[in-house]
């Protein structure tokens, strides 16, 4: 995370429908496409919710090349925690959110660039 990035906002929701609602609320308060991400424990579920909500995936731009490549060899849980910390969450926050994703919940993340 660069010094110009603000602390991220994370909200755990029960399902994709609630995630879309939260994304729409964030967009109405000024967050843009590049500022909002969704994560679910299953990659295909993340992709589907991101497509429906009109958000992007956490990629090389957010993670950096090394972490993005390393994720190929990580477990899904380790990959998710890496993605979250790349957006500015602490290790403890990432551990908490990853446990919520293990329970089938969805994480909506918003981050403003300053």
């Amino acid at each position: 995370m660069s010094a110009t990035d603000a602390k991220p906002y994370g909200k755990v929701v029960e399902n994709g429908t609630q995630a879309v609602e939260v994304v729409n609320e964030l967009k109405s308060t000024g967050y843009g496409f590049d500022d909002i991400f969704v994560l679910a424990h299953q990659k295909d579920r993340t992709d589907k919710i991101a497509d429906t909500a009109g958000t992007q995936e956490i990629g090389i731009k957010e993670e950096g090349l090394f972490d993005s490549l390393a994720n190929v060899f990580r477990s899904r849980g380790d990959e998710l925690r890496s993605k979250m910390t790349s957006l500015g969450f602490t290790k403890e926050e990432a551990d908490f959110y990853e446990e919520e994703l293990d329970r089938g919940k969805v994480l909506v993340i918003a981050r403003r660039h300053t």
Side-chain angles (χ1 to χ4, degrees), residues 64-80:
L65 182 59
F66 176 77
D67 281 333
S68 185
L69 290 173
N71 280 339
V72 172
F73 302 101
R74 292 180 173 143
S75 71
R76 181 64 176 162
D78 289 345
E79 176 186 356
L80 291 168

